[in-house]
Amino acid sequence: MLLCIDCGNTNTVFALWDGERFLCTLRTSTHHARTADAYFTWFSTLLNHYRIDPDITDVIISSTVPRVVFNLRVFADRFFGCRPIVVGKPECALPIPPRVDEGTSIGPDRLVNTAGAFDRHGGDLIVVDFGTATTFDVVASDGAYVGGVIAPGVNLSLEALHSAAAALPHVDVTKPPHVIGTNTVDCMQSGVFWGYVGLVNGICNRIRGEYGRPMKVIGTGGLAPLFSTGEALFDTVEDDLTMHGLTVIHRYNKETT
């Protein structure tokens, strides 16, 4: 059984893949000081709660936070007796190498999203991922990552707005009842929601114009379903795209070694 671990700047997600489906998906906050023992205590407690007794033989990790990788490696080795595959490391092969400027460092999450999206939808794609940052990944016709866009994340923008303007409160990210707000909260929610709808539409249209070919837009990340209600932003929304991409990369490495 394969354990997929996706470590982002805010949350770390663990998912168990039995070769056909994900048995469960577990989420915790990302903390670079969390030890291997602490990971196992949290992980095993939740598995016991769900009455899952997995036989984990393989682990694959994607992490945008380099400092957590060491303890996750120890976690895999100590408790499952395996050396994990770490996306972005030289020993981890990709189905199609990226085509970007020489020496460019690409976030592992973007490589994983590219592999997962191409496996499900083919090429000529824009993958929009709503995470700590909002990223746009361009997937070529052969499945290569060829670049993209990085914008501030939705929650990051809200936090910056609250921090810089003392009179403005914390608000939830939601679709407001009207574009024109009649109170402070509605005004802020409208600015964030419709502002990001405009951002996604505008950037995707510019990518399409520069790319010069028809492209599908795939939404992923926690807020993708919410923003899909705004306008026809996405051709489809994939809740498990990153985890699926990890299974694709793991399978490719097993087949080529």
Side-chain angles (χ1 to χ4, degrees):
M1 189 174 295
L2 173 65
L3 173 59
C4 300
I5 303 175
D6 173 39
C7 179
N9 291 294
T10 305
N11 292 315
T12 300
V13 181
F14 290 60
L16 284 171
W17 174 253
D18 69 358
E20 296 182 357
R21 64 189 180 96
F22 287 108
L23 299 181
C24 69
T25 300
L26 311 173
R27 185 180 298 268
T28 185
S29 60
T30 298
H31 195 315
H32 72 272
R34 184 173 283 126
T35 65
D37 292 346
Y39 278 117
F40 183 72
T41 300
W42 166 83
F43 183 65
S44 59
T45 300
L46 284 179
L47 291 186
N48 288 334
H49 173 77
Y50 290 113
R51 293 183 172 86
I52 298 173
D53 185 18
D55 179 19
I56 296 172
T57 58
D58 295 90
V59 178
I60 184 167
I61 300 168
S62 168
S63 177
T64 58
V65 185
R67 289 190 293 175
V68 306
V69 173
F70 174 78
N71 283 325
L72 288 172
R73 282 185 183 271
V74 175
F75 166 75
D77 178 65
R78 179 177 298 167
F79 296 106
F80 308 117
C82 67
R83 180 179 177 83
I85 296 172
V86 181
V87 179
K89 299 297 183 182
E91 64 271 18
C92 177
L94 298 172
I96 304 293
R99 293 195 293 273
V100 294
D101 294 342
E102 187 175 353
T104 298
S105 177
I106 306 168
D109 54 331
R110 308 184 79 176
L111 299 174
V112 171
N113 284 345
T114 295
F118 181 71
D119 185 68
R120 285 182 170 171
H121 302 284
D124 298 329
L125 305 174
I126 304 169
V127 181
V128 185
D129 189 352
F130 291 88
T132 304
T134 301
T135 58
F136 300 73
D137 303 325
V138 179
V139 185
S141 57
D142 63 350
Y145 170 86
V146 294
V149 175
I150 301 174
V154 179
N155 287 309
L156 191 63
S157 295
L158 273 174
E159 184 61 33
L161 189 62
H162 169 74
S163 298
L168 296 180
H170 281 290
V171 298
D172 295 328
V173 182
T174 188
K175 182 180 180 180
H178 308 285
V179 175
I180 301 173
T182 55
N183 57 69
T184 301
V185 170
D186 282 357
C187 288
M188 293 176 67
Q189 289 176 334
S190 182
V192 170
F193 182 85
W194 292 111
Y196 271 85
V197 167
L199 180 143
V200 172
N201 268 331
I203 290 179
C204 286
N205 286 337
R206 288 183 177 274
I207 290 174
R208 285 190 181 103
E210 191 170 288
Y211 192 74
R213 299 177 63 172
M215 305 179 80
K216 290 182 179 179
V217 181
I218 313 300
T220 191
L223 292 174
L226 171 65
F227 282 96
S228 68
T229 66
E231 289 182 2
L233 292 182
F234 311 118
D235 292 285
T236 187
V237 172
E238 300 276 5
D239 292 334
D240 64 344
L241 183 65
T242 302
M243 288 301 170
H244 177 67
L246 285 171
T247 69
V248 171
I249 292 175
H250 175 266
R251 182 176 68 241
Y252 179 78
N253 279 266
K254 287 296 183 180
E255 290 173 349
T256 56
T257 56

